[in-house]
Amino acid sequence: MMATKGALVLEPNEWLLDPSDCPGFRGNEVVAQKQSGDIIHHTEYLFFNTPKRYALININDKVEEIVSRSGVQDGFAFVSAMHITAGVYINDAESGLLNDIAIWIESLAPFGQPYMHHATGEDNGDAHLKSYLTNPSLSAPITAGRLDFGTWQKIFYAEFDGQRRKRVMVKVTGIR
Amino acid sequence: MMATKGALVLEPNEWLLDPSDCPGFRGNEVVAQKQSGDIIHHTEYLFFNTPKRYALININDKVEEIVSRSGVQDGFAFVSAMHITAGVYINDAESGLLNDIAIWIESLAPFGQPYMHHATGEDNGDAHLKSYLTNPSLSAPITAGRLDFGTWQKIFYAEFDGQRRKRVMVKVTGIR
Amino acid sequence: MMATKGALVLEPNEWLLDPSDCPGFRGNEVVAQKQSGDIIHHTEYLFFNTPKRYALININDKVEEIVSRSGVQDGFAFVSAMHITAGVYINDAESGLLNDIAIWIESLAPFGQPYMHHATGEDNGDAHLKSYLTNPSLSAPITAGRLDFGTWQKIFYAEFDGQRRKRVMVKVTGIR
């Protein structure tokens, strides 16, 4: 089940990346705000340009900030990778586990296979399958103005074909 | 990781199917509409009856049409396969990639294994696992009256046990 | 693809568990209720403490009860495992299939591998990967005051590291 080292583009621990260490990261951009009475819909994009091909980035604090900014007290933060070679997931921020996740995803959807998609000139067939496994989006619940999470739940952005500009949408909806 | 040809019920390229090539497809059916002030909830079912056992069908335009019909300007289109032998996902509509996805899903949840579920007389144990891998439903964000997607994001219906009548729900909710 | 027996902590059929057979289960706890006009947000937690390490628990009736209690006529029941060693999914409640799912998840994310996460003293690296595969949360649609499901769709809580107190959130939102 474990990937052989040769199959990995990066060592697992090279997948870990903090938003503040991501030179391509820049601040949020408010895209839309719509309100009807006490109902608020607040949308922002986050931008990433990871220095390496793969990255697992804890964006939980970024999402929390957007939730605060939205004014929503009860509802959801919908978080979506707007590219089909990336994804989002919720799990523990422990570094050993992040390595395990990198190795595991690589083992289930390995780089460098003879994917038919590569006839287009791309070499990122694995990234599309990694995205399928990871899911494009998730909803994080908000209660009393904060993410209503268990202690170890953290939202991650998973980049599987970086080194280019990518967007993540955060749409916060609910009652103020 | 790649499935052997023998394990496949269909050649990968036989999975691809356009809604217009699907004899079992028929137009939308409005199931429910509910409104409170500017908040709209609009529900339709889509019906499929695929000619072969497996199919990957790009239903993005169908969902866009329902979003337009709903009148929602900001919110979500929730898309759900109402059967546990099908699923929905978001990825690229490139045909080589669709083949890769077919092969990959087959390799992770192969047909024709001695699944215990088959003691019921069914032969679709693989389809239940493929559905688990794919997810039953997804939410697609709406901003300014349209799906707020990246360029290559397209919604697909994935049929893993076709040749019978199946439903997909699209529930559009949000602010008009 | 099938796990060898030696790799399993439990026999597959030992994964099955009814909420009423779960000594750790206790009734719902209303966490939050928020209303704006006809829009209702109603949140409850369910608690589980499974007698064994793994469990697949059909919680569909529990969610239906919460939907009824919420008063929401059209909207969603968002169901979320609040721990990153558990998940929720929708599939058939047939017991053979539940065995197949247990075997299949074990084969894709096996127990007892040398996960790096175990350097922390934990032995549950497999549970984190099983959760990744399963997803932390799902949305179940509500139409006319009931889950708008196909005949065989049932909501399951999947426990991958039990024998401790765990929470599941159900947040029902929509129009009354």
Side-chain angles (χ1 to χ4, degrees), chain A residues 1 38 74 76 89 91 94 97 99-100 103-105 134-135 139 141-143 148 150 153 176, chain C residues 32 34 36 41 45 78 81-82 84 107-108 115-117 120 128-129 132 135 169 171 173:
Chain A
M1 197 51 56
D38 291 335
D74 199 289
F76 297 96
Y89 71 89
N91 215 310
E94 195 273 312
L97 180 67
N99 282 273
D100 293 325
I103 293 170
W104 182 71
I105 292 175
T134 302
N135 295 321
S139 285
I142 300 165
T143 306
D148 194 352
Q153 289 187 291
R176 74 175 169 194
Chain C
K34 207 164 163 65
S36 168
H41 286 209
Y45 292 159
F78 172 82
M82 299 182 75
I84 37 41
S107 77
L108 291 179
Y115 297 113
M116 296 189 200
H117 183 50
T120 63
H128 288 273
L129 301 182
Y132 194 106
N135 294 321
M169 163 194 289
K171 190 184 275 285
T173 61

mmCIF file of all heavy atoms in Angstrom, chain A residues 1 38 74 76 89 91 94 97 99-100 103-105 134-135 139 141-143 148 150 153 176, chain C residues 32 34 36 41 45 78 81-82 84 107-108 115-117 120 128-129 132 135 169 171 173:
data_model
loop_
_atom_site.group_PDB
_atom_site.id
_atom_site.type_symbol
_atom_site.label_atom_id
_atom_site.label_comp_id
_atom_site.label_asym_id
_atom_site.label_seq_id
_atom_site.Cartn_x
_atom_site.Cartn_y
_atom_site.Cartn_z
ATOM 1 N N MET A 1 0.848 -1.209 0.000
ATOM 2 C CA MET A 1 0.000 0.000 0.000
ATOM 3 C C MET A 1 0.883 1.258 0.000
ATOM 4 O O MET A 1 0.559 2.264 -0.600
ATOM 5 C CB MET A 1 -0.894 -0.036 1.247
ATOM 6 C CG MET A 1 -2.097 0.904 1.193
ATOM 7 S SD MET A 1 -3.126 0.764 -0.298
ATOM 8 C CE MET A 1 -3.549 -0.989 -0.263
ATOM 9 N N ASP A 38 -31.777 39.137 7.942
ATOM 10 C CA ASP A 38 -30.672 38.631 8.756
ATOM 11 C C ASP A 38 -29.826 37.583 8.039
ATOM 12 O O ASP A 38 -28.897 37.037 8.632
ATOM 13 C CB ASP A 38 -31.234 37.985 10.032
ATOM 14 C CG ASP A 38 -31.845 39.010 10.964
ATOM 15 O OD1 ASP A 38 -31.440 40.188 10.898
ATOM 16 O OD2 ASP A 38 -32.740 38.633 11.742
ATOM 17 N N ASP A 74 -24.658 31.734 12.683
ATOM 18 C CA ASP A 74 -25.038 30.319 12.573
ATOM 19 C C ASP A 74 -25.225 29.977 11.090
ATOM 20 O O ASP A 74 -26.019 30.613 10.398
ATOM 21 C CB ASP A 74 -26.328 30.039 13.347
ATOM 22 C CG ASP A 74 -26.511 28.560 13.644
ATOM 23 O OD1 ASP A 74 -26.784 27.799 12.690
ATOM 24 O OD2 ASP A 74 -26.339 28.161 14.798
ATOM 25 N N PHE A 76 -22.791 28.042 7.635
ATOM 26 C CA PHE A 76 -21.715 27.219 7.099
ATOM 27 C C PHE A 76 -20.669 28.076 6.388
ATOM 28 O O PHE A 76 -21.000 29.096 5.777
ATOM 29 C CB PHE A 76 -22.255 26.211 6.085
ATOM 30 C CG PHE A 76 -23.203 25.231 6.688
ATOM 31 C CD1 PHE A 76 -24.570 25.433 6.620
ATOM 32 C CD2 PHE A 76 -22.724 24.126 7.367
ATOM 33 C CE1 PHE A 76 -25.447 24.548 7.217
ATOM 34 C CE2 PHE A 76 -23.598 23.230 7.966
ATOM 35 C CZ PHE A 76 -24.964 23.441 7.890
ATOM 36 N N TYR A 89 -9.784 19.149 2.574
ATOM 37 C CA TYR A 89 -10.202 18.079 3.479
ATOM 38 C C TYR A 89 -10.072 18.563 4.920
ATOM 39 O O TYR A 89 -9.470 19.614 5.178
ATOM 40 C CB TYR A 89 -9.369 16.806 3.249
ATOM 41 C CG TYR A 89 -7.935 16.891 3.709
ATOM 42 C CD1 TYR A 89 -7.589 16.548 5.014
ATOM 43 C CD2 TYR A 89 -6.932 17.323 2.858
ATOM 44 C CE1 TYR A 89 -6.274 16.630 5.450
ATOM 45 C CE2 TYR A 89 -5.623 17.411 3.282
ATOM 46 C CZ TYR A 89 -5.298 17.063 4.581
ATOM 47 O OH TYR A 89 -4.000 17.159 5.015
ATOM 48 N N ASN A 91 -8.764 17.241 8.657
ATOM 49 C CA ASN A 91 -8.099 16.208 9.438
ATOM 50 C C ASN A 91 -7.171 16.893 10.434
ATOM 51 O O ASN A 91 -7.210 18.121 10.586
ATOM 52 C CB ASN A 91 -7.361 15.209 8.527
ATOM 53 C CG ASN A 91 -7.409 13.784 9.072
ATOM 54 O OD1 ASN A 91 -7.113 13.544 10.237
ATOM 55 N ND2 ASN A 91 -7.820 12.839 8.231
ATOM 56 N N GLU A 94 -1.256 17.215 12.694
ATOM 57 C CA GLU A 94 -0.024 16.610 13.209
ATOM 58 C C GLU A 94 0.919 16.252 12.046
ATOM 59 O O GLU A 94 0.504 15.630 11.077
ATOM 60 C CB GLU A 94 -0.395 15.372 14.045
ATOM 61 C CG GLU A 94 0.716 14.857 14.933
ATOM 62 C CD GLU A 94 1.625 13.889 14.215
ATOM 63 O OE1 GLU A 94 1.111 12.970 13.550
ATOM 64 O OE2 GLU A 94 2.865 14.062 14.315
ATOM 65 N N LEU A 97 1.257 12.658 10.669
ATOM 66 C CA LEU A 97 0.053 12.281 9.925
ATOM 67 C C LEU A 97 0.037 12.924 8.543
ATOM 68 O O LEU A 97 -0.378 12.295 7.568
ATOM 69 C CB LEU A 97 -1.203 12.690 10.696
ATOM 70 C CG LEU A 97 -2.495 12.339 9.974
ATOM 71 C CD1 LEU A 97 -2.694 10.838 9.882
ATOM 72 C CD2 LEU A 97 -3.692 12.999 10.630
ATOM 73 N N ASN A 99 2.541 13.540 6.712
ATOM 74 C CA ASN A 99 3.398 12.672 5.905
ATOM 75 C C ASN A 99 2.665 11.400 5.484
ATOM 76 O O ASN A 99 2.757 10.973 4.335
ATOM 77 C CB ASN A 99 4.655 12.293 6.703
ATOM 78 C CG ASN A 99 5.684 13.397 6.725
ATOM 79 O OD1 ASN A 99 6.507 13.501 5.837
ATOM 80 N ND2 ASN A 99 5.634 14.244 7.733
ATOM 81 N N ASP A 100 1.950 10.802 6.436
ATOM 82 C CA ASP A 100 1.199 9.580 6.122
ATOM 83 C C ASP A 100 0.176 9.839 5.022
ATOM 84 O O ASP A 100 -0.007 9.010 4.124
ATOM 85 C CB ASP A 100 0.468 9.067 7.378
ATOM 86 C CG ASP A 100 1.403 8.564 8.461
ATOM 87 O OD1 ASP A 100 2.458 7.994 8.124
ATOM 88 O OD2 ASP A 100 1.076 8.740 9.651
ATOM 89 N N ILE A 103 1.935 10.145 1.607
ATOM 90 C CA ILE A 103 2.358 8.825 1.105
ATOM 91 C C ILE A 103 1.142 8.026 0.636
ATOM 92 O O ILE A 103 1.176 7.368 -0.410
ATOM 93 C CB ILE A 103 3.101 8.043 2.223
ATOM 94 C CG1 ILE A 103 4.423 8.721 2.550
ATOM 95 C CG2 ILE A 103 3.321 6.583 1.813
ATOM 96 C CD1 ILE A 103 5.104 8.167 3.800
ATOM 97 N N TRP A 104 0.079 8.101 1.388
ATOM 98 C CA TRP A 104 -1.116 7.303 1.107
ATOM 99 C C TRP A 104 -1.803 7.759 -0.177
ATOM 100 O O TRP A 104 -2.166 6.938 -1.032
ATOM 101 C CB TRP A 104 -2.061 7.418 2.299
ATOM 102 C CG TRP A 104 -3.327 6.644 2.239
ATOM 103 C CD1 TRP A 104 -3.480 5.290 2.333
ATOM 104 C CD2 TRP A 104 -4.647 7.190 2.094
ATOM 105 N NE1 TRP A 104 -4.816 4.967 2.264
ATOM 106 C CE2 TRP A 104 -5.550 6.109 2.116
ATOM 107 C CE3 TRP A 104 -5.143 8.474 1.967
ATOM 108 C CZ2 TRP A 104 -6.930 6.286 2.001
ATOM 109 C CZ3 TRP A 104 -6.515 8.655 1.856
ATOM 110 C CH2 TRP A 104 -7.392 7.574 1.867
ATOM 111 N N ILE A 105 -1.956 9.073 -0.326
ATOM 112 C CA ILE A 105 -2.579 9.603 -1.554
ATOM 113 C C ILE A 105 -1.723 9.216 -2.761
ATOM 114 O O ILE A 105 -2.240 8.810 -3.803
ATOM 115 C CB ILE A 105 -2.739 11.134 -1.468
ATOM 116 C CG1 ILE A 105 -3.772 11.498 -0.402
ATOM 117 C CG2 ILE A 105 -3.151 11.705 -2.817
ATOM 118 C CD1 ILE A 105 -3.892 12.987 -0.169
ATOM 119 N N THR A 134 -9.906 13.269 -2.840
ATOM 120 C CA THR A 134 -9.868 14.257 -1.761
ATOM 121 C C THR A 134 -11.159 15.057 -1.660
ATOM 122 O O THR A 134 -11.513 15.543 -0.589
ATOM 123 C CB THR A 134 -8.689 15.226 -2.006
ATOM 124 O OG1 THR A 134 -7.497 14.453 -2.056
ATOM 125 C CG2 THR A 134 -8.581 16.274 -0.926
ATOM 126 N N ASN A 135 -11.840 15.223 -2.754
ATOM 127 C CA ASN A 135 -13.047 16.056 -2.885
ATOM 128 C C ASN A 135 -12.696 17.506 -3.166
ATOM 129 O O ASN A 135 -11.747 18.034 -2.614
ATOM 130 C CB ASN A 135 -13.954 16.012 -1.661
ATOM 131 C CG ASN A 135 -14.510 14.622 -1.469
ATOM 132 O OD1 ASN A 135 -14.851 13.972 -2.448
ATOM 133 N ND2 ASN A 135 -14.569 14.169 -0.246
ATOM 134 N N SER A 139 -18.118 21.627 3.574
ATOM 135 C CA SER A 139 -18.842 22.626 4.357
ATOM 136 C C SER A 139 -18.430 22.500 5.813
ATOM 137 O O SER A 139 -18.429 21.402 6.368
ATOM 138 C CB SER A 139 -20.356 22.416 4.237
ATOM 139 O OG SER A 139 -20.811 22.848 2.975
ATOM 140 N N PRO A 141 -19.354 23.768 9.627
ATOM 141 C CA PRO A 141 -20.479 24.377 10.327
ATOM 142 C C PRO A 141 -20.049 25.536 11.227
ATOM 143 O O PRO A 141 -18.949 25.516 11.789
ATOM 144 C CB PRO A 141 -21.021 23.213 11.165
ATOM 145 C CG PRO A 141 -19.838 22.338 11.398
ATOM 146 C CD PRO A 141 -18.982 22.451 10.167
ATOM 147 N N ILE A 142 -20.918 26.500 11.337
ATOM 148 C CA ILE A 142 -20.690 27.668 12.211
ATOM 149 C C ILE A 142 -21.804 27.725 13.252
ATOM 150 O O ILE A 142 -22.982 27.699 12.896
ATOM 151 C CB ILE A 142 -20.721 28.973 11.396
ATOM 152 C CG1 ILE A 142 -19.643 28.971 10.314
ATOM 153 C CG2 ILE A 142 -20.576 30.200 12.303
ATOM 154 C CD1 ILE A 142 -19.850 30.045 9.245
ATOM 155 N N THR A 143 -21.431 27.765 14.515
ATOM 156 C CA THR A 143 -22.387 27.967 15.606
ATOM 157 C C THR A 143 -21.831 29.062 16.499
ATOM 158 O O THR A 143 -20.624 29.062 16.779
ATOM 159 C CB THR A 143 -22.581 26.659 16.407
ATOM 160 O OG1 THR A 143 -22.944 25.594 15.509
ATOM 161 C CG2 THR A 143 -23.685 26.802 17.449
ATOM 162 N N ASP A 148 -17.784 25.277 14.279
ATOM 163 C CA ASP A 148 -18.238 24.352 15.323
ATOM 164 C C ASP A 148 -17.537 23.010 15.094
ATOM 165 O O ASP A 148 -18.113 22.069 14.571
ATOM 166 C CB ASP A 148 -19.759 24.217 15.240
ATOM 167 C CG ASP A 148 -20.349 23.554 16.482
ATOM 168 O OD1 ASP A 148 -19.576 23.069 17.327
ATOM 169 O OD2 ASP A 148 -21.586 23.536 16.591
ATOM 170 N N GLY A 150 -14.694 19.822 16.336
ATOM 171 C CA GLY A 150 -13.985 19.126 17.387
ATOM 172 C C GLY A 150 -12.567 19.668 17.488
ATOM 173 O O GLY A 150 -12.065 20.347 16.579
ATOM 174 N N GLN A 153 -10.081 18.977 14.497
ATOM 175 C CA GLN A 153 -10.517 19.213 13.112
ATOM 176 C C GLN A 153 -9.906 20.496 12.562
ATOM 177 O O GLN A 153 -10.137 21.582 13.113
ATOM 178 C CB GLN A 153 -12.044 19.313 13.043
ATOM 179 C CG GLN A 153 -12.774 17.996 13.253
ATOM 180 C CD GLN A 153 -14.273 18.155 12.992
ATOM 181 O OE1 GLN A 153 -14.966 18.819 13.749
ATOM 182 N NE2 GLN A 153 -14.758 17.532 11.936
ATOM 183 N N ARG A 176 -27.122 36.150 10.694
ATOM 184 C CA ARG A 176 -26.191 36.999 11.440
ATOM 185 C C ARG A 176 -26.572 37.050 12.919
ATOM 186 O O ARG A 176 -27.707 36.784 13.272
ATOM 187 C CB ARG A 176 -26.174 38.416 10.865
ATOM 188 C CG ARG A 176 -27.408 39.231 11.205
ATOM 189 C CD ARG A 176 -27.268 40.655 10.717
ATOM 190 N NE ARG A 176 -28.539 41.348 10.802
ATOM 191 C CZ ARG A 176 -28.792 42.506 10.213
ATOM 192 N NH1 ARG A 176 -27.881 43.069 9.466
ATOM 193 N NH2 ARG A 176 -29.966 43.087 10.343
ATOM 194 N N ALA C 32 -27.972 24.475 19.703
ATOM 195 C CA ALA C 32 -28.265 25.844 19.255
ATOM 196 C C ALA C 32 -29.532 25.849 18.424
ATOM 197 O O ALA C 32 -29.830 24.891 17.709
ATOM 198 C CB ALA C 32 -27.096 26.374 18.419
ATOM 199 N N LYS C 34 -31.588 28.906 16.095
ATOM 200 C CA LYS C 34 -31.566 30.290 15.665
ATOM 201 C C LYS C 34 -32.597 30.438 14.569
ATOM 202 O O LYS C 34 -32.751 29.556 13.725
ATOM 203 C CB LYS C 34 -30.173 30.657 15.148
ATOM 204 C CG LYS C 34 -29.853 32.143 15.302
ATOM 205 C CD LYS C 34 -28.372 32.400 15.164
ATOM 206 C CE LYS C 34 -28.102 33.863 14.898
ATOM 207 N NZ LYS C 34 -28.462 34.755 16.002
ATOM 208 N N SER C 36 -34.775 33.282 11.881
ATOM 209 C CA SER C 36 -34.988 34.621 11.318
ATOM 210 C C SER C 36 -36.176 34.495 10.384
ATOM 211 O O SER C 36 -36.059 33.923 9.297
ATOM 212 C CB SER C 36 -33.737 35.079 10.555
ATOM 213 O OG SER C 36 -34.060 36.229 9.792
ATOM 214 N N HIS C 41 -32.428 27.427 11.910
ATOM 215 C CA HIS C 41 -31.167 26.673 12.055
ATOM 216 C C HIS C 41 -31.259 25.945 13.397
ATOM 217 O O HIS C 41 -31.378 26.606 14.448
ATOM 218 C CB HIS C 41 -29.964 27.610 12.055
ATOM 219 C CG HIS C 41 -29.623 28.161 10.713
ATOM 220 N ND1 HIS C 41 -28.343 28.518 10.368
ATOM 221 C CD2 HIS C 41 -30.374 28.396 9.612
ATOM 222 C CE1 HIS C 41 -28.328 28.982 9.111
ATOM 223 N NE2 HIS C 41 -29.544 28.918 8.635
ATOM 224 N N TYR C 45 -26.279 17.561 18.965
ATOM 225 C CA TYR C 45 -25.174 16.600 18.944
ATOM 226 C C TYR C 45 -25.707 15.215 19.308
ATOM 227 O O TYR C 45 -26.584 15.083 20.172
ATOM 228 C CB TYR C 45 -24.083 16.958 19.972
ATOM 229 C CG TYR C 45 -23.296 18.209 19.700
ATOM 230 C CD1 TYR C 45 -22.619 18.847 20.743
ATOM 231 C CD2 TYR C 45 -23.176 18.754 18.423
ATOM 232 C CE1 TYR C 45 -21.863 19.997 20.525
ATOM 233 C CE2 TYR C 45 -22.422 19.905 18.191
ATOM 234 C CZ TYR C 45 -21.772 20.520 19.250
ATOM 235 O OH TYR C 45 -21.029 21.653 19.044
ATOM 236 N N PHE C 78 -27.318 18.693 7.793
ATOM 237 C CA PHE C 78 -25.865 18.541 7.691
ATOM 238 C C PHE C 78 -25.423 17.634 8.840
ATOM 239 O O PHE C 78 -25.728 17.923 10.005
ATOM 240 C CB PHE C 78 -25.207 19.922 7.791
ATOM 241 C CG PHE C 78 -23.714 19.900 7.884
ATOM 242 C CD1 PHE C 78 -22.935 19.783 6.744
ATOM 243 C CD2 PHE C 78 -23.076 20.030 9.110
ATOM 244 C CE1 PHE C 78 -21.545 19.788 6.823
ATOM 245 C CE2 PHE C 78 -21.691 20.029 9.197
ATOM 246 C CZ PHE C 78 -20.925 19.911 8.053
ATOM 247 N N ALA C 81 -19.201 14.104 11.544
ATOM 248 C CA ALA C 81 -18.398 13.501 12.603
ATOM 249 C C ALA C 81 -17.429 14.575 13.088
ATOM 250 O O ALA C 81 -16.682 15.135 12.281
ATOM 251 C CB ALA C 81 -17.643 12.295 12.068
ATOM 252 N N MET C 82 -17.441 14.833 14.375
ATOM 253 C CA MET C 82 -16.617 15.929 14.890
ATOM 254 C C MET C 82 -15.213 15.460 15.289
ATOM 255 O O MET C 82 -14.497 16.174 16.008
ATOM 256 C CB MET C 82 -17.333 16.607 16.056
ATOM 257 C CG MET C 82 -18.668 17.196 15.625
ATOM 258 S SD MET C 82 -19.531 18.070 16.940
ATOM 259 C CE MET C 82 -18.591 19.598 17.063
ATOM 260 N N ILE C 84 -11.571 13.327 13.738
ATOM 261 C CA ILE C 84 -10.898 13.025 12.475
ATOM 262 C C ILE C 84 -10.475 11.550 12.393
ATOM 263 O O ILE C 84 -9.659 11.176 11.560
ATOM 264 C CB ILE C 84 -9.741 14.005 12.192
ATOM 265 C CG1 ILE C 84 -8.943 14.449 13.411
ATOM 266 C CG2 ILE C 84 -10.324 15.313 11.647
ATOM 267 C CD1 ILE C 84 -8.600 13.526 14.443
ATOM 268 N N SER C 107 -8.832 -2.642 3.482
ATOM 269 C CA SER C 107 -7.832 -2.945 2.447
ATOM 270 C C SER C 107 -7.172 -1.678 1.910
ATOM 271 O O SER C 107 -6.005 -1.690 1.534
ATOM 272 C CB SER C 107 -8.473 -3.728 1.297
ATOM 273 O OG SER C 107 -9.241 -2.881 0.456
ATOM 274 N N LEU C 108 -7.912 -0.572 1.873
ATOM 275 C CA LEU C 108 -7.366 0.675 1.317
ATOM 276 C C LEU C 108 -6.602 1.490 2.359
ATOM 277 O O LEU C 108 -5.764 2.323 1.990
ATOM 278 C CB LEU C 108 -8.486 1.522 0.709
ATOM 279 C CG LEU C 108 -9.122 0.970 -0.566
ATOM 280 C CD1 LEU C 108 -10.240 1.888 -1.047
ATOM 281 C CD2 LEU C 108 -8.074 0.802 -1.677
ATOM 282 N N TYR C 115 2.806 3.786 10.357
ATOM 283 C CA TYR C 115 2.463 5.174 10.074
ATOM 284 C C TYR C 115 3.346 6.120 10.903
ATOM 285 O O TYR C 115 3.617 5.851 12.079
ATOM 286 C CB TYR C 115 0.976 5.424 10.377
ATOM 287 C CG TYR C 115 0.046 4.611 9.506
ATOM 288 C CD1 TYR C 115 -0.758 3.606 10.043
ATOM 289 C CD2 TYR C 115 -0.024 4.832 8.131
ATOM 290 C CE1 TYR C 115 -1.612 2.852 9.244
ATOM 291 C CE2 TYR C 115 -0.873 4.085 7.320
ATOM 292 C CZ TYR C 115 -1.665 3.095 7.890
ATOM 293 O OH TYR C 115 -2.491 2.347 7.086
ATOM 294 N N MET C 116 3.753 7.215 10.304
ATOM 295 C CA MET C 116 4.604 8.182 11.011
ATOM 296 C C MET C 116 3.857 8.824 12.185
ATOM 297 O O MET C 116 4.470 9.245 13.161
ATOM 298 C CB MET C 116 5.085 9.269 10.036
ATOM 299 C CG MET C 116 5.975 8.719 8.932
ATOM 300 S SD MET C 116 6.747 10.045 7.946
ATOM 301 C CE MET C 116 7.175 9.111 6.460
ATOM 302 N N HIS C 117 2.530 8.914 12.038
ATOM 303 C CA HIS C 117 1.695 9.467 13.113
ATOM 304 C C HIS C 117 1.909 8.725 14.432
ATOM 305 O O HIS C 117 1.691 9.293 15.514
ATOM 306 C CB HIS C 117 0.233 9.377 12.681
ATOM 307 C CG HIS C 117 -0.748 9.971 13.635
ATOM 308 N ND1 HIS C 117 -0.613 11.235 14.172
ATOM 309 C CD2 HIS C 117 -1.908 9.481 14.151
ATOM 310 C CE1 HIS C 117 -1.633 11.492 14.966
ATOM 311 N NE2 HIS C 117 -2.431 10.449 14.982
ATOM 312 N N THR C 120 3.804 9.793 17.738
ATOM 313 C CA THR C 120 3.167 10.569 18.818
ATOM 314 C C THR C 120 2.676 9.679 19.959
ATOM 315 O O THR C 120 2.169 10.181 20.959
ATOM 316 C CB THR C 120 1.928 11.334 18.299
ATOM 317 O OG1 THR C 120 0.958 10.371 17.841
ATOM 318 C CG2 THR C 120 2.277 12.264 17.149
ATOM 319 N N HIS C 128 -7.292 7.734 10.693
ATOM 320 C CA HIS C 128 -7.250 9.043 10.025
ATOM 321 C C HIS C 128 -7.409 8.879 8.505
ATOM 322 O O HIS C 128 -8.096 9.670 7.865
ATOM 323 C CB HIS C 128 -5.936 9.759 10.334
ATOM 324 C CG HIS C 128 -5.822 10.266 11.736
ATOM 325 N ND1 HIS C 128 -6.294 11.490 12.110
ATOM 326 C CD2 HIS C 128 -5.291 9.707 12.849
ATOM 327 C CE1 HIS C 128 -6.048 11.677 13.408
ATOM 328 N NE2 HIS C 128 -5.441 10.606 13.875
ATOM 329 N N LEU C 129 -6.761 7.877 7.951
ATOM 330 C CA LEU C 129 -6.868 7.646 6.499
ATOM 331 C C LEU C 129 -8.259 7.118 6.146
ATOM 332 O O LEU C 129 -8.833 7.500 5.123
ATOM 333 C CB LEU C 129 -5.784 6.680 6.029
ATOM 334 C CG LEU C 129 -4.345 7.137 6.302
ATOM 335 C CD1 LEU C 129 -3.351 6.111 5.755
ATOM 336 C CD2 LEU C 129 -4.056 8.514 5.721
ATOM 337 N N TYR C 132 -10.434 10.044 5.987
ATOM 338 C CA TYR C 132 -10.175 10.793 4.731
ATOM 339 C C TYR C 132 -10.970 10.171 3.586
ATOM 340 O O TYR C 132 -11.590 10.857 2.776
ATOM 341 C CB TYR C 132 -8.683 10.734 4.435
ATOM 342 C CG TYR C 132 -8.173 11.707 3.381
ATOM 343 C CD1 TYR C 132 -7.428 12.827 3.749
ATOM 344 C CD2 TYR C 132 -8.384 11.487 2.039
ATOM 345 C CE1 TYR C 132 -6.923 13.708 2.802
ATOM 346 C CE2 TYR C 132 -7.886 12.369 1.079
ATOM 347 C CZ TYR C 132 -7.157 13.473 1.464
ATOM 348 O OH TYR C 132 -6.667 14.334 0.508
ATOM 349 N N ASN C 135 -14.985 10.721 4.359
ATOM 350 C CA ASN C 135 -15.453 12.110 4.488
ATOM 351 C C ASN C 135 -15.981 12.381 5.882
ATOM 352 O O ASN C 135 -16.620 11.540 6.487
ATOM 353 C CB ASN C 135 -16.533 12.477 3.477
ATOM 354 C CG ASN C 135 -15.977 12.448 2.077
ATOM 355 O OD1 ASN C 135 -14.861 12.864 1.863
ATOM 356 N ND2 ASN C 135 -16.753 11.934 1.157
ATOM 357 N N MET C 169 -22.418 15.924 14.915
ATOM 358 C CA MET C 169 -23.306 17.082 14.852
ATOM 359 C C MET C 169 -24.352 16.886 13.768
ATOM 360 O O MET C 169 -24.048 16.395 12.675
ATOM 361 C CB MET C 169 -22.489 18.318 14.501
ATOM 362 C CG MET C 169 -23.365 19.468 14.009
ATOM 363 S SD MET C 169 -22.366 20.738 13.245
ATOM 364 C CE MET C 169 -21.581 21.361 14.732
ATOM 365 N N LYS C 171 -26.888 19.541 12.003
ATOM 366 C CA LYS C 171 -27.364 20.928 11.906
ATOM 367 C C LYS C 171 -28.394 20.980 10.786
ATOM 368 O O LYS C 171 -28.081 20.768 9.623
ATOM 369 C CB LYS C 171 -26.204 21.887 11.618
ATOM 370 C CG LYS C 171 -26.579 23.372 11.734
ATOM 371 C CD LYS C 171 -25.445 24.316 11.339
ATOM 372 C CE LYS C 171 -24.477 24.602 12.459
ATOM 373 N NZ LYS C 171 -24.994 25.531 13.492
ATOM 374 N N THR C 173 -30.989 23.073 8.593
ATOM 375 C CA THR C 173 -31.222 24.462 8.185
ATOM 376 C C THR C 173 -32.216 24.497 7.037
ATOM 377 O O THR C 173 -32.242 23.603 6.198
ATOM 378 C CB THR C 173 -29.911 25.127 7.712
ATOM 379 O OG1 THR C 173 -29.411 24.412 6.580
ATOM 380 C CG2 THR C 173 -28.868 25.145 8.805
#
